[in-house]
Amino acid sequence: MTDIRFDGRVAIVTGAGGGLGRSHALLLAAHGAKVVVNDLGGARDGTGEGGSAMADQVVQEIKDAGGEATANYDGVDTLAGGEAIVKTALDAYGKVDILVNNAGILRDRAFHNLEEADWDAVVTVHMKGGFNVTQPALRVMRQNSYGRIIFTTSAAGLYGNFGQTNYAAAKMAVVGMMNVLKLEGAKYNIIVNTIAPIAASRLTEDVLPPQALEMLKPELVSPIVAYLCSEECTESGGIYSVGGGYFSRAAMYEAQGTFIDGDVTPEQVRDNIAKITDMAGAEEFANINGQTMGRIFPHLQKGAPTQ
Ligand code: NAI
């Protein structure tokens, strides 16, 4: 098998001034990609003046290792920022082949105490940020009939975590975005996947035990990002849990369920709850049609009682 290479490919990694993004950028560059290292250099909660130091440092690391990189300091939280990030790639390297949506902030608080500003800031960076950078990048990818896009979700969104309603909601939003973009991008060889990482970074340094942090190097997450961004990757629309050497696909499944005919009563739902919730034979659907056309409509056409 040949090595995975990105020679001639142009990658954007958002929030690449530290943590996971830095690791992704270094790995893509080490395998030949020209990388736009985006980071606005703020604090972990998105506050602060920001600045160029974080992105510049990573660009320097890439250059010192013999790679090619350009810094960008715009925020992903506005469309103008997203457009400027993509423009940096176009001005420096003429195209965009790979986009890793990684930038993120945290403002954890129990839902009943959450301020609107904490909701807005987190949703803006993670969810709207996904739109702001991906739309201008995808327009370029469509023209070139080639693209690899990564979103970054979280187990907090997939499975739940106390104190993170804003973050969890925003992180599931990017899964929804991926589910649609995998369909819209397919014709243009644009492949879209999502990672749910766990790694030591400033986001996790005070929530994970020190022994765990030592084993959760960001460098153990980036290899799957590189694979999913490679030409040979044909999987699209996947969610991958990854960290500490663990790699696993996560997916949405729907139970076989049951049909209740006629005017359905709450009591009938109660009496069928075991069938409704039985996950034996549960299915994953490639798109909405698989579910509605495959499951619901055939039954309606048959009008068949199943109880
Ligand atoms: P980090 O704080 O080290 O990296 C995030 C980077 O994004 C920072 O360098 C920050 O300056 C940058 N950033 C923040 N707002 C930005 C904006 N508006 N525009 C441009 N850049 C911005 O944290 P980490 O852990 O490396 O996080 C990377 C991604 O992985 C985030 O999306 C995070 O939510 C996600 N994630 C991380 C997990 C972990 O265990 N570290 C767990 C699950 C998800």
Side-chain angles (χ1 to χ4, degrees):
M1 296 288 273
T2 53
D3 290 348
I4 289 178
R5 295 291 309 173
F6 298 100
D7 303 301
R9 294 287 178 206
V10 178
I12 294 171
V13 183
T14 68
L20 285 161
R22 169 182 168 273
S23 170
H24 303 335
L26 289 174
L27 188 64
L28 291 172
H31 286 248
K34 300 179 179 88
V35 181
V36 172
V37 175
N38 157 261
D39 208 297
L40 90 178
R44 135 180 156 152
D45 65 356
T47 59
E49 284 297 299
S52 57
M54 288 175 77
D56 285 345
Q57 160 83 30
V58 176
V59 166
Q60 196 55 50
E61 282 184 78
I62 290 173
K63 288 185 172 165
D64 289 348
E68 270 191 71
T70 301
N72 170 283
Y73 318 115
D74 289 289
V76 302
D77 45 295
T78 64
L79 182 56
E83 285 169 342
I85 293 166
V86 172
K87 186 169 183 302
T88 297
L90 296 179
D91 290 349
Y93 306 123
K95 60 176 182 165
V96 181
D97 300 302
I98 294 165
L99 168 63
V100 183
N101 287 297
N102 166 81
I105 61 169
L106 276 185
R107 292 198 185 184
D108 294 356
R109 208 171 261 210
F111 187 63
H112 60 276
N113 289 325
L114 194 65
E115 305 273 351
E116 187 181 9
D118 297 328
W119 177 272
D120 288 346
V122 167
V123 167
T124 300
V125 172
H126 292 277
M127 180 174 82
K128 182 83 190 302
F131 165 76
N132 291 335
V133 191
T134 306
Q135 190 188 53
L138 180 118
R139 286 178 173 158
V140 177
M141 291 172 179
R142 274 170 55 105
Q143 282 167 6
N144 297 332
S145 289
Y146 186 86
R148 298 289 182 267
I149 299 171
I150 302 290
F151 287 105
T152 306
T153 186
S154 167
L158 296 173
Y159 306 118
N161 196 22
F162 268 88
Q164 293 197 310
T165 45
N166 49 356
Y167 183 68
K171 285 304 200 187
M172 286 311 277
V174 302
V175 173
M177 228 184 293
M178 172 192 72
N179 285 337
V180 175
L181 286 180
K182 79 177 179 199
L183 306 175
E184 295 185 3
K187 198 169 118 187
Y188 300 93
N189 191 14
I190 297 171
I191 282 179
V192 194
N193 286 289
T194 299
I195 60 160
I198 179 159
S201 77
R202 67 181 192 175
L203 289 191
T204 50
E205 64 192 358
D206 56 358
V207 289
L208 294 171
Q211 320 86 278
L213 288 170
E214 270 172 40
M215 297 165 78
L216 292 170
K217 291 185 292 197
E219 290 74 18
L220 292 174
V221 172
S222 302
I224 196 165
V225 170
Y227 167 68
L228 294 169
C229 290
S230 69
E231 272 173 48
E232 61 199 83
C233 175
T234 52
E235 290 91 358
S236 195
I239 303 167
Y240 296 90
S241 291
V242 51
Y246 174 69
F247 297 89
S248 178
R249 190 167 81 86
M252 186 76 77
Y253 275 71
E254 187 158 315
Q256 285 295 325
T258 191
F259 283 92
I260 303 171
D261 295 301
D263 296 330
V264 180
T265 65
E267 293 75 20
Q268 285 176 301
V269 174
R270 176 197 61 205
D271 297 344
N272 280 282
I273 200 69
K275 283 191 211 162
I276 294 168
T277 57
D278 181 3
M279 295 304 286
E283 268 182 290
E284 185 183 5
F285 299 108
N287 55 46
I288 190 175
N289 291 338
Q291 192 251 16
T292 49
M293 303 294 182
R295 277 278 179 90
I296 298 174
F297 284 20
H299 176 83
L300 298 183
Q301 279 160 0
K302 273 191 288 177
T306 53
Q307 270 203 86

